[in-house]
Amino acid sequence: MELKDLKPAEGSRKPRKRVGRGPASGTGKTSGRGMNGQKSRAGGGKGAGFEGGQTPLARRLPKLPGFKNINHVEYLPVNVKRLEETFEAGDVVNGESLKAKGIIKHADALVKVLGDGEITKALTVQVDKVSASAKAKIEAAGGKVEEPC
């Protein structure tokens, strides 16, 4: 047996059906599409995934895994170590002063002071939130934390 002797199994290969080629072809006139209606037209019929007007499964399922809390508030973290390096004793730490020193980009951004590092200068901190450890360190250095923290 050689490559030239190989043939497909009998009846496995059928000629392509040429539709719309006259009444003698068996698929003339309406080309096997029946009479009128959406599915008889060119480009007619519903798209893949159409579920009769019901919202399709692909749109009912979420795009990404997980869940996004719409009430989540994002704070920019600033450590007391950074305040120690950047500010002088007696300075007021607020949005404007943090922006002026280049620590944050926008003065109206929400800021939370965290307790990483040590602080020796007495500062007045007026930001949105202060962690308990940062508050203890600031007050131990002689500074004060003012509301709305």
Side-chain angles (χ1 to χ4, degrees):
M1 176 172 261
E2 294 181 2
L3 212 54
K4 66 180 183 181
D5 298 329
L6 293 176
K7 291 181 179 173
E10 192 65 38
S12 67
R13 307 283 290 181
K14 293 181 185 175
R16 180 173 67 90
K17 186 180 281 190
R18 296 180 68 230
V19 298
R21 293 294 181 271
S25 69
T27 53
K29 194 184 167 224
T30 55
S31 304
R33 291 175 179 253
M35 298 298 281
N36 298 336
Q38 184 177 24
K39 289 173 74 176
S40 72
R41 314 278 195 240
K46 305 290 190 214
F50 184 78
E51 297 182 21
Q54 168 178 292
T55 306
L57 181 68
R59 289 185 54 205
R60 290 199 303 267
L61 298 177
K63 187 172 182 181
L64 296 172
F67 153 82
K68 189 164 181 76
N69 185 355
I70 59 168
N71 298 315
H72 176 70
V73 180
E74 192 74 39
Y75 290 93
L76 296 176
V78 178
N79 284 302
V80 292
K81 173 173 56 177
R82 190 81 185 271
L83 300 181
E84 173 74 22
E85 296 166 357
T86 313
F87 290 93
E88 300 300 320
D91 283 354
V92 175
V93 179
N94 56 22
E96 288 77 28
S97 64
L98 289 168
K99 183 181 179 339
K101 301 277 187 180
I103 296 175
I104 61 173
K105 286 186 179 179
H106 304 287
D108 58 347
L110 298 174
V111 177
K112 182 171 182 176
V113 177
L114 303 176
D116 185 34
E118 296 302 321
I119 187 164
T120 58
K121 299 171 184 170
L123 301 173
T124 303
V125 178
Q126 300 170 340
V127 293
D128 301 291
K129 279 200 170 192
V130 178
S131 70
S133 60
K135 186 172 184 177
K137 289 179 182 182
I138 292 166
E139 289 173 349
K144 61 181 176 181
V145 177
E146 295 181 357
E147 292 300 325
C149 303

